[in-house]
Amino acid sequence: MDAFAFIIHPIDPKRDVSRKYPILGKYLTERQIDYFSTFFPPVYISEIEGIRSELTGKQVKGWFIACPYTPKRMLELPVQTVYKKLIQTGRLAEKLGAQILGLGAFTSVVGDAGLTVAGGLKIPVTTGDSYTVYIAVESIRKAAEVMGIPLSEATAAVVGATGSIGRVCAELLANDVGELYLIGRRTDALEDLRTSLQPQAHARIKVSTSMDDLRHAQVILTVTSALNDVILPEHLNPGSVVCDVARPRDVSAKVAAVRDDILVIDGGMVDVPGPVDFHFNFGFPAGKSFACMAETIALTLEGRFEDYTVGKNITRAQVEEIAAIAGKHGFRLGGFRSFEREVTEEYINKVRQNARRAQSLRRN
Ligand SMILES: NC(=O)c1ccc[n+]([C@@H]2O[C@H](COP(=O)([O-])OP(=O)(O)OC[C@H]3O[C@@H](n4cnc5c(N)ncnc54)[C@H](OP(=O)(O)O)[C@@H]3O)[C@@H](O)[C@H]2O)c1
């Protein structure tokens, strides 16, 4: 049976270490976990079974394996040390019999986004970022629809627009919306992106380095590699929709606590075809995976054992191709969650009502 492996890593050190080692998670402090993670070997997490293509009936299996570094550690350590650990983790995948390796969350952000890791392994590698882009943009389109926001007239913003995921999300959204803010930290890089996107875009494109400009937007897609929250309650307009693709998250938990007039959705949740069992709780309901995992699985179902999304330059063609491959095997946008909770129709109606109230208070 064809097989894949997917590298995960702790994001919230205490919560995620507890998922595999409850005792260590309980007694070690966050700082201790960060420190000890440097010396920890790669960890076998679980076998994944029950995946079946809707189109061909082909079944595949896989494994979760963990690189012990937290995002903070991956940014602090020399990049060569991180590559070494990722290649070591990839060798574990090779020993298990995987024919392709997916790089989860921050393991695809560090350094050259998989190029060096792919060079150090016998099996091909993908970051999964092409399908992450597709699902993020689909999520924001669907969320705008349920919130009654007509996209073609809306103002949208992409935060982290100069990043590898953000850049292609901006390219796709620029055809959907009336106005698009590219938000980031470096004006030069933002201006370069605007210059390259504007000629083909339906939207008027503006650039900004200030989160305060999010107040102009009804639709926001955020995907920075920041370690801490970058979007706070005071940045957002009533009735807006925010799709948070970043891990760690970009949207502060305070937004959920104090803004009942905004829909924040977690980006990247996908339904996996077949009675899948991951044998590991990574925070999603049964049968659902992150889009980046789905890309790795879809390539395995397709028998495409090649370096697929590696490096920082994701193309629109790659996004469209993986969307077609995943779609035909039965992967679908997996509904909405907000801060790891299900978003029901009733909840959306409540947010819309609260937004209308807040908007009329502002007008009066
Ligand atoms: N949900 C999923 O399935 C999934 C899958 C893959 C990745 N991800 C997540 O997606 C995020 C981005 O990944 P990527 O590969 O696109 O990373 P990337 O290429 O390194 O881009 C990161 C972007 O974030 C910006 N940024 C970093 N720190 C910031 C800060 N403090 N304030 C504002 N902007 C900041 C960077 O700006 P500069 O250009 O100025 O450096 C850059 O535009 C990560 O959190 C990753 O874990 C999620």
Side-chain angles (χ1 to χ4, degrees), residues 130-131 134-135 138 295 298 308 316-332:
S130 299
Y131 198 50
Y134 175 77
I135 288 294
E138 279 298 289
E295 176 171 317
Y308 192 81
R316 187 180 180 148
Q318 269 175 310
V319 173
E320 286 165 359
E321 185 186 44
I322 194 67
I325 293 172
K328 78 178 184 191
H329 289 295
F331 293 87
R332 308 268 177 271

Side-chain angles (χ1 to χ4, degrees), residues 105-106 108-109 129 132 160-166 184-186 211 223-226 230 245-248 267-268 290-292 312:
F106 240 74
S108 67
V109 175
D129 287 355
T132 295
T162 52
S164 50
I165 297 175
R185 297 185 292 190
R186 295 172 296 131
M211 295 296 162
V223 63
T224 81
S225 55
V230 293
V245 183
R247 292 291 174 277
F290 279 103
C292 48
K312 292 271 175 190

